[in-house]
Amino acid sequence: MKILVTGGCGFIGSNFIRYILKKYPSYKIINLDKLTYAGNLENLKDIEKNRNYKFIKGDICNKELVGKIANNVDYIINFAAETHVDRSILEAGSFIKTDVYGTHILLEAAKKYHHKKYIQISTDEVYGSIDKGSFTEESRLKPNSPYSASKTSADLLCRSYFVTYGLPVMITRSSNNYGPYQYPEKVIPLFITNAIENKPLPLYGDGKNVRDWLYVLDNCSGIDTVLHKGIAGEIYNIGGSNEIANIGLTKTILKILNKPTSLIKPVADRLGHDRRYSLKCNKLMKLGWKPKRKFEETLRETVEWYIDNKNWWKKLKDIDFNKYYKKQYKLSNE
Ligand code: NAD
Ligand code: TYD
């Protein structure tokens, strides 16, 4: 099996490539990544010499390049995206370009070369917010941020390529992931690394927004299940069944690190902040998947990973992130 993975130098993509190469020693992976601020070659340093792995630096919006690579693979799994909601609130253009137009370029290539499968890595955020109950794959799409609207647009394009051209497209919609190699702008790595450095943890609004946390390797096994058992044209939710309000999550992180709750700094709410995400995942479970790892255990392991890998995150927080984060922080306090 020869797979083009896009965005493989990011958080979930790098965990997925490592997972697949270990589990299926005969599979070949080409990783196409633009290396934006979120892409990091260090995320895959341990496998860069693996004979079944090849990295190509490039943009999924580059039709010529994508065409050349797609000609040599049977499957595309598209992780590449601009992914941070707060950044999309400050500047939406790059989200529309990569998440929507980039998906279109990949779909065109998969169509041209008659790929056996195309998997779009999407998000629960396409459904919008839900106060009670959980979203199924049939729930209406009601995205609230420029990020989730871009991801929704890409999902709709995927659907149209299945219906119109019969392209064997599948979509996974996962809940919030956590684990090693997550860029320290997302709440879990941001709060862990701030707490390690005794810096304030900027908690948005009343802290009662709820997210359903999914350990990244459980997401990888979900995508693996879809790759091998998924049905063309279908959508699969992947949730962790670990719903927790941000304030509870923050206190748990501080407790693991043995740091005081006085580090919590309530700040102004995010614009258009979704209150709660929640997924029903029966459809994927019917294919034999279920999350294997426990939340408390994997959160603790994640905290330990950030303690052990300060060299990895310290430089990320120093460079581009500081510049961006100051702007964002100002916005939250306005
Ligand atoms: P990330 O921001 O950590 O990584 C994104 C990767 O895509 C980076 O390596 C970046 O360099 C690359 N990239 C960006 N634009 C590109 C382009 N134009 N061409 C090629 N490469 C490009 O993201 P992540 O958290 O690993 O998320 C991966 C996917 O999973 C995304 O599609 C995201 O929408 C989806 N998702 C993420 C989460 C989560 O909690 N992180 C939850 C649900 C869905
Ligand atoms: P985030 O990790 O950005 O993921 P998403 O917005 O895609 O769910 O945020 C998770 C939750 O944490 C969300 O409710 C916003 C909140 N949050 C904060 O309270 N403070 C922060 O500094 C960040 C980045 C997020």
Side-chain angles (χ1 to χ4, degrees):
M1 192 182 279
K2 240 180 152 182
I3 311 169
L4 167 58
V5 168
T6 65
C9 293
F11 164 49
I12 306 176
S14 60
N15 276 288
F16 181 75
I17 291 175
R18 188 176 293 102
Y19 169 100
I20 289 289
L21 289 176
K22 193 172 168 206
K23 184 164 174 192
Y24 305 102
S26 66
Y27 288 14
K28 293 189 178 359
I29 290 183
I30 298 179
N31 171 16
L32 173 65
D33 196 297
K34 187 180 171 182
L35 295 182
T36 66
Y37 78 95
N40 189 344
L41 287 174
E42 283 184 32
N43 295 3
L44 286 169
K45 199 140 192 62
D46 52 326
I47 57 115
E48 69 186 2
K49 295 207 169 77
N50 186 309
R51 266 186 297 152
N52 289 339
Y53 171 73
K54 186 176 174 193
F55 169 68
I56 297 174
K57 183 176 181 210
D59 192 330
I60 58 165
C61 298
N62 182 337
K63 186 177 168 189
E64 237 183 27
L65 176 65
V66 167
K68 270 190 209 147
I69 303 168
N71 192 12
N72 291 309
V73 299
D74 322 295
Y75 302 83
I76 293 179
I77 308 181
N78 179 27
F79 291 86
E82 290 294 337
T83 61
H84 192 41
V85 173
D86 292 324
R87 286 181 190 251
S88 82
I89 293 168
L90 292 170
E91 187 276 316
S94 57
F95 287 75
I96 293 158
K97 194 163 177 222
T98 288
D99 302 11
V100 186
Y101 183 70
T103 298
H104 157 72
I105 293 294
L106 295 171
L107 288 167
E108 276 295 308
K111 171 163 78 83
K112 183 170 175 187
Y113 295 109
H114 307 286
H115 282 186
K116 291 179 190 139
K117 275 178 188 172
Y118 174 100
I119 301 182
Q120 177 72 4
I121 305 301
S122 186
T123 164
D124 60 356
E125 301 191 27
V126 299
Y127 299 117
S129 191
I130 189 164
D131 289 336
K132 281 193 190 120
S134 304
F135 291 121
T136 72
E137 290 83 355
E138 303 298 318
S139 298
R140 89 271 181 263
L141 303 177
K142 228 175 169 187
N144 293 315
S145 72
Y147 162 65
S148 53
S150 303
K151 294 295 290 185
T152 307
S153 309
D155 283 14
L156 295 179
L157 267 179
C158 287
R159 175 189 149 80
S160 77
Y161 273 68
F162 171 71
V163 174
T164 306
Y165 307 112
L167 188 71
V169 175
M170 282 161 288
I171 298 173
T172 66
R173 293 187 179 142
S174 87
S175 59
N176 287 63
N177 285 222
Y178 64 98
Y181 301 104
Q182 186 167 30
Y183 194 84
E185 64 184 351
K186 304 283 172 23
V187 76
I188 288 188
L190 176 70
F191 281 13
I192 293 172
T193 56
N194 277 15
I196 291 172
E197 297 189 304
N198 298 310
K199 287 183 180 162
L201 315 190
L203 187 64
Y204 297 162
D206 62 6
K208 290 185 183 160
N209 302 67
V210 172
R211 296 294 182 265
D212 168 18
W213 292 99
L214 171 68
Y215 185 54
V216 64
L217 290 178
D218 281 327
N219 189 16
C220 293
S221 72
I223 299 165
D224 178 11
T225 305
V226 172
L227 175 65
H228 291 94
K229 298 184 185 164
I231 295 165
E234 295 295 325
I235 297 164
Y236 298 92
N237 286 345
I238 312 182
S241 297
N242 296 303
E243 287 185 36
I244 180 164
N246 293 337
I247 180 69
L249 173 72
T250 308
K251 286 183 177 163
T252 309
I253 290 170
L254 289 170
K255 200 168 167 203
I256 294 172
L257 281 162
N258 203 17
K259 298 279 181 176
T261 51
S262 56
L263 283 177
I264 300 172
K265 178 172 168 39
V267 295
D269 210 353
R270 171 187 277 171
L271 301 177
H273 196 176
D274 284 333
R275 195 64 171 166
R276 174 172 172 264
Y277 300 138
S278 180
L279 290 177
K280 271 210 171 72
C281 305
N282 319 25
K283 197 168 161 184
L284 188 57
M285 284 174 172
K286 278 193 191 136
L287 298 185
W289 173 85
K290 66 171 193 280
K292 284 203 190 89
R293 302 295 313 278
K294 292 220 159 39
F295 179 66
E296 297 73 23
E297 197 177 272
T298 46
L299 184 63
R300 192 171 280 280
E301 282 173 18
T302 301
V303 169
E304 280 158 13
W305 189 87
Y306 284 89
I307 292 173
D308 292 343
N309 289 276
K310 288 201 182 76
N311 287 341
W312 181 86
W313 55 264
K314 266 194 189 275
K315 50 185 177 246
L316 301 179
K317 287 184 89 164
D318 285 348
I319 325 168
D320 166 83
F321 172 71
N322 255 355
K323 218 166 52 191
Y324 154 76
Y325 192 65
K326 273 186 199 135
K327 221 163 138 193
Q328 160 59 18
Y329 194 74
K330 196 167 156 270
L331 194 88
S332 314
N333 278 304
E334 269 164 8

